[in-house]
């Protein structure tokens, strides 16, 4: 990936409108303080500003997910590309091109939010499922020796859903991602996400 593309790449926490990110932080804060898991938090009884800072950092760290990287990992679910990068794909150093007019990919994963006060006190771990829908348009994918090596210009229209303790807290359409003219893949086979 070229330097400009790397600099423009942002995580989910920076893509969300500030008000929506605050909603997620508040929902995580409520989940942390109620139920059995909240007992340890109440026993420590941190002051409000300490807890707020810890929650904001934990949520920002957990949601530092790049929609563009998730798009790259999700290519494995696309049949033509999967055939080229799968175990039976050609390994003759010749580039193969797959054209995508429009396709929707789904990628989901569950980052764990861990609240820590100081370096030694871990209060609670909370799973927060995140699901991306990525509608991609106008792409040409280049595969060489079973690896995606480049994507020619196109765009991705991502939407994201975030849940806290089974309740949908956020469903948001993110800004359209204009993919770089020649984006080199840095995704290894081991990093390929499970496509839902």
């Amino acid at each position: 990936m070229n330097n400009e593309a790397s600099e423009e790449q942002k995580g989910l926490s920076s893509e969300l409108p500030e008000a929506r990110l605050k909603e997620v932080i508040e929902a995580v804060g409520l989940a942390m303080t109620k139920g059995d898991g909240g007992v340890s938090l109440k026993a420590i009884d941190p002051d409000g500003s300490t807890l707020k800072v810890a929650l904001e950092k934990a949520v920002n760290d957990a949601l530092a997910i790049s929609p563009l990287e998730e798009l790259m990992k999700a290519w494995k679910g696309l049949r033509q590309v999967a055939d080229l990068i799968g175990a039976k794909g050609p390994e003759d150093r010749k580039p193969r091109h797959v054209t995508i007019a429009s396709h929707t990919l789904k990628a989901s994963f569950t980052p764990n939010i861990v609240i820590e006060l100081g370096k030694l006190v871990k209060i609670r771990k909370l799973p927060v499922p995140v699901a991306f829908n990525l509608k991609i348009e106008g792409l040409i994918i280049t595969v060489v020796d079973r690896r995606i090596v480049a994507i020619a210009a196109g765009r991705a229209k991502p939407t994201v859903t975030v849940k806290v303790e089974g309740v949908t807290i956020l469903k948001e359409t993110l800004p359209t991602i204009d993919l770089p003219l020649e984006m080199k893949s840095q995704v290894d086979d081991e990093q390929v996400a499970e496509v839902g």
Side-chain angles (χ1 to χ4, degrees):
M1 192 181 304
N2 64 33
N3 288 339
E4 283 179 31
S6 297
E7 287 170 15
E8 288 173 11
Q9 197 168 343
K10 296 178 183 175
L12 173 58
S13 55
S14 61
E15 290 284 346
L16 289 175
E18 193 174 327
R20 301 308 308 270
L21 186 58
K22 282 183 182 176
E23 287 176 36
V24 176
I25 292 168
E26 286 171 15
V28 168
L30 283 173
M32 289 287 180
T33 55
K34 68 181 183 182
D36 292 341
V39 174
S40 58
L41 181 61
K42 289 173 186 161
I44 294 170
D45 195 22
D47 65 80
S49 61
T50 301
L51 181 58
K52 181 173 182 263
V53 168
L55 281 167
E56 286 175 355
K57 180 183 183 317
V59 171
N60 275 304
D61 288 350
L63 298 185
I65 304 157
S66 165
L68 188 53
E69 282 180 13
E70 293 314 309
L71 169 67
M72 289 297 293
K73 292 174 188 177
W75 283 131
K76 193 120 181 170
L78 196 57
R79 180 170 287 166
Q80 284 178 294
V81 176
D83 289 345
L84 289 173
I85 65 176
K88 295 182 181 177
E91 288 188 294
D92 54 9
R93 298 184 186 236
K94 293 181 183 174
R96 266 82 174 180
H97 306 285
V98 179
T99 303
I100 307 296
S102 179
H103 190 83
T104 301
L105 297 171
K106 293 181 181 181
S108 60
F109 46 94
T110 305
N112 287 304
I113 290 178
V114 179
I115 298 299
E116 296 177 340
L117 296 178
K119 295 193 176 191
L120 300 174
V121 183
K122 284 188 183 177
I123 298 175
R124 188 175 173 202
K125 186 175 173 179
L126 181 72
V128 178
V130 176
F132 280 114
N133 265 351
L134 293 148
K135 183 177 181 184
I136 55 169
E137 299 175 342
L139 298 180
I140 299 174
I141 304 159
T142 304
V143 179
V144 177
D145 290 341
R146 301 181 186 173
R147 296 182 67 92
I148 297 171
V149 295
I151 296 179
R155 59 188 178 178
K157 297 179 178 178
T159 56
V160 65
T161 304
V162 179
K163 294 185 178 184
V164 175
E165 294 199 330
V167 178
T168 299
I169 298 303
L170 173 76
K171 193 165 189 178
E172 185 79 19
T173 300
L174 301 176
T176 296
I177 301 166
D178 289 319
L179 298 176
L181 194 59
E182 185 73 5
M183 184 179 72
K184 302 282 183 190
S185 171
Q186 295 181 339
V187 179
D188 294 328
D189 291 337
E190 300 85 44
Q191 293 177 304
V192 174
E194 189 173 312
V195 179

